Amino acid sequence: MHDDFVANLRLLCSYYPSIAEVCRRLDINRAQFNRYLSGRYRPRHAAMRRLCAFFGVEEHELYLPHENFVSLVQAGRLPTESTRQGGVEWPDALLQRGREGMSRYLGRYFEYYHSMAQPGHIIRTLVCLEERESGIVYQRTERMQGANQARPCHNRYTGVAVKLADRIFLTDHETLNGYEVTHTILFPTFQSQVTRLTGLRLGVADNSERMPCCVRVMFERIDEQVGLRRALSQCGLLSLDDPSLDAALLAAVRNDVAPGEQHFRARHQGEFQVAPEAS
């Protein structure tokens, strides 16, 4: 039922002297752990958190295609204690101040913006914001599949999020190859429910040109009932006429410059207008 999960878990266990040693360190019943290794059962939430904390991985990484997970391990890019706390060492005072008011923004989001490497397409990525002892951290996962690829590949970014005054700042780095740092600034919302957030994202195109680009971005809150694997399966490149992209979203990420604007500016949700349909 969970072939990739089982293969990935067995790979992690292979770095220890024995399964018994893993169970002892995890303080978990051997028979129960064997059920995970056989694929008969999936760990419940509490057990999954213990597994992830022990092995230093994120939950969705355990469900990556095994080939991608092996590459992650062989590249030595599994998160260390420092990367799990944000990827970079930020001043403690800033991280603590920046977590104030962030609890309502924790959770999973789809991130949308015009692809820097594939112009004419929207890219949908998965962003997970969590609270750790050191502050608010997040992980962003890109799922890409080329025309000749049998299975998709994944790029993974980890970073820190802070809310300072009336803006949310996110800074992350790509963990597999270590070739990119991205910066995102979002407007907070004053609505009772967090649904969509808009802002700007600065990064480089993921191709040989590596052109620095700035794009408008939208974060869309994912319903808690949507499982992690299902959410990740929906990520990737989308055509502009994809039926899952509504007019308001397309307007929010449109990278136009209004007459008289001297800078490429972010826009509040109420500031952009939906473009009229072509006749």
Side-chain angles (χ1 to χ4, degrees):
M1 293 174 61
H2 310 290
D3 291 342
D4 288 317
F5 171 81
V6 171
N8 295 340
L9 184 58
R10 286 183 176 274
L11 176 62
L12 292 174
C13 290
S14 70
Y15 287 89
Y16 292 84
S18 65
I19 299 299
E21 175 70 8
V22 172
C23 294
R24 184 187 66 80
R25 294 195 184 192
L26 276 168
D27 191 23
I28 193 171
N29 182 274
R30 173 67 182 271
Q32 182 64 34
F33 194 74
N34 284 341
R35 295 188 182 99
Y36 304 153
L37 292 175
S38 68
R40 292 173 57 196
Y41 291 94
R42 175 182 173 181
R44 294 183 181 273
H45 182 67
M48 181 66 78
R49 288 181 64 88
R50 289 167 62 191
L51 288 175
C52 291
F54 176 74
F55 288 115
V57 296
E58 302 294 337
E59 180 179 347
H60 81 268
E61 289 176 332
L62 287 171
Y63 291 100
L64 289 176
H66 187 59
E67 294 87 346
N68 297 135
F69 191 78
V70 170
S71 298
L72 193 71
V73 174
Q74 292 178 344
R77 299 294 180 177
L78 285 176
T80 62
E81 184 63 26
S82 62
T83 59
R84 289 201 302 273
Q85 293 181 354
V88 293
E89 293 186 5
W90 287 39
D92 291 341
L94 179 64
L95 292 175
Q96 293 303 319
R97 181 159 62 94
R99 74 195 304 166
E100 295 180 8
M102 280 293 290
S103 60
R104 66 194 303 257
Y105 297 100
L106 302 179
R108 298 171 184 165
Y109 295 82
F110 284 134
E111 175 194 43
Y112 298 88
Y113 58 91
H114 279 267
S115 172
M116 302 174 186
Q118 297 288 334
H121 292 81
I122 299 291
I123 186 170
R124 178 194 283 149
T125 72
L126 178 64
V127 178
C128 304
L129 276 82
E130 301 179 356
E131 185 169 19
R132 299 286 174 86
E133 184 177 351
S134 60
I136 307 301
V137 301
Y138 69 97
Q139 183 163 286
R140 180 162 56 86
T141 305
E142 294 177 349
R143 179 180 181 271
M144 307 295 289
Q145 185 163 9
N148 298 321
Q149 289 179 307
R151 306 187 73 169
C153 63
H154 297 78
N155 293 326
R156 174 178 167 277
Y157 301 74
T158 61
V160 174
V162 294
K163 184 174 181 290
L164 302 174
D166 55 353
R167 297 292 181 264
I168 299 173
F169 299 83
L170 303 97
T171 299
D172 61 51
H173 72 287
E174 192 270 325
T175 62
L176 185 57
N177 297 308
Y179 291 160
E180 183 180 0
V181 173
T182 72
H183 306 279
T184 303
I185 303 177
L186 301 172
F187 294 110
T189 181
F190 299 100
Q191 300 177 353
S192 58
Q193 298 292 326
V194 178
T195 55
R196 286 179 166 180
L197 305 170
T198 58
L200 290 180
R201 180 174 186 270
L202 177 65
V204 298
D206 186 18
N207 54 25
S208 58
E209 186 181 29
R210 290 181 54 75
M211 179 63 66
C213 300
C214 184
V215 294
R216 292 196 175 97
V217 64
M218 171 176 277
F219 278 42
E220 183 177 50
R221 191 73 167 266
I222 301 176
D223 191 292
E224 294 182 355
Q225 301 303 314
V226 177
L228 193 61
R229 296 185 70 187
R230 178 185 170 192
L232 190 59
S233 70
Q234 296 178 42
C235 294
L237 288 174
L238 306 173
S239 62
L240 296 180
D241 59 357
D242 190 288
S244 68
L245 303 175
D246 59 69
L249 188 154
L250 289 172
V253 300
R254 189 169 59 238
N255 293 318
D256 60 333
V257 178
E261 287 186 342
Q262 301 300 313
H263 308 92
F264 188 68
R265 296 164 52 91
R267 291 178 182 160
H268 291 281
Q269 286 197 55
E271 189 176 349
F272 54 79
Q273 297 181 349
V274 177
E277 295 184 0
S279 57

